[in-house]
């Protein structure tokens, strides 16, 4: 996912302006909820994912999250939390958590931009690419635990198998 955009001057401008350009260039549905929040939707392999970018100017931090379209029933929260812990051990960037309010798994990562002169196109694209790749990789594991009755360990083993091609 590479987009050519106009170069920005190295200032501590709001990175959501850049995010909006990238999202628009990809024709992803989005809503700019204000100066400090942008919501978008992107298609993944297993369903649509809700992206949220939030700018915290005092920290110079861009927080990013990618919510999976999975509802975790109360009875399955414990095994899903166990699965999240195992998944997080395999990640190089970001982490998964369970949104208490929505009961949905979320991939989350923050970029600290103080002194960096703002976010780059590549950083924003990497955030989205990594989140979608990890969500696609682990989506079946959530289904195995929630609907298949598998243990977190069994679901994790299944998620870590690299398949070649499609049947």
């Amino acid at each position: 996912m590479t987009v050519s955009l106009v170069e920005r001057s190295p200032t501590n401008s709001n990175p959501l302006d850049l995010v909006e350009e990238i999202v628009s260039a990809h024709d992803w549905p989005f809503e700019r909820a204000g100066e400090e929040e942008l919501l978008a939707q992107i298609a993944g392999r297993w369903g649509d994912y809700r992206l949220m970018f939030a700018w915290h100017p005092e920290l110079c931090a861009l927080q990013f999250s990618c919510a999976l379209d999975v509802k975790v029933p109360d009875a399955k929260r414990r095994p899903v939390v166990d699965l999240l812990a195992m998944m997080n051990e395999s990640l190089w960037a970001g982490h998964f958590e369970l949104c208490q309010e929505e009961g949905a798994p979320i991939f989350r990562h923050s970029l600290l931009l103080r002194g960096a002169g703002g976010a780059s196109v590549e950083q924003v694209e990497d955030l989205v690419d990594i989140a979608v790749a990890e969500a696609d990789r682990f989506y079946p594991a959530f289904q195995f635990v929630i609907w298949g009755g598998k243990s977190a360990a069994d679901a994790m083993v299944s998620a870590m198998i690299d398949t070649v091609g499609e049947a």
Side-chain angles (χ1 to χ4, degrees):
M1 161 177 107
T2 303
V3 176
S4 296
L5 299 174
V6 177
E7 286 293 320
R8 296 192 170 277
S9 62
T11 64
N12 279 337
S13 63
N14 187 336
L16 293 184
D17 298 335
L18 174 64
V19 171
E20 186 171 345
E21 287 183 41
I22 294 168
V23 167
S24 293
H26 284 288
D27 291 324
W28 298 333
F30 78 95
E31 176 184 342
R32 182 82 182 253
E35 284 300 309
E36 297 177 356
E37 186 176 89
L38 185 142
L39 307 169
Q41 187 170 316
I42 186 172
R45 183 174 183 186
W46 305 105
D48 290 336
Y49 303 131
R50 292 181 323 254
L51 309 179
M52 187 194 76
F53 298 86
W55 173 237
H56 193 293
E58 292 80 25
L59 292 176
C60 290
L62 178 64
Q63 185 179 67
F64 168 75
S65 64
C66 175
L68 283 68
D69 188 19
V70 173
K71 176 76 170 153
V72 179
D74 289 340
K76 296 293 184 170
R77 285 191 180 228
R78 184 74 223 148
V80 166
V81 168
D82 292 343
L83 176 63
L84 292 170
M86 289 179 211
M87 290 166 37
N88 286 334
E89 289 179 5
S90 71
L91 299 177
W92 279 79
H95 68 277
F96 279 96
E97 60 188 59
L98 186 60
C99 176
Q100 295 301 315
E101 187 176 304
E102 296 180 23
I106 295 176
F107 178 87
R108 188 182 306 253
H109 188 68
S110 295
L111 289 178
L112 300 175
L113 299 171
R114 188 171 69 96
S120 71
V121 171
E122 294 82 7
Q123 286 174 309
V124 174
E125 288 178 339
D126 286 349
L127 276 176
V128 175
D129 286 345
I130 290 168
V132 170
E134 297 298 356
D136 283 346
R137 177 167 68 139
F138 289 115
Y139 193 98
F142 289 113
Q143 297 299 325
F144 290 153
V145 170
I146 296 168
W147 305 114
K150 301 286 184 193
S151 70
D154 288 342
M156 190 65 183
V157 167
S158 297
M160 299 308 290
I161 296 173
D162 289 326
T163 58
V164 178
E166 291 187 22

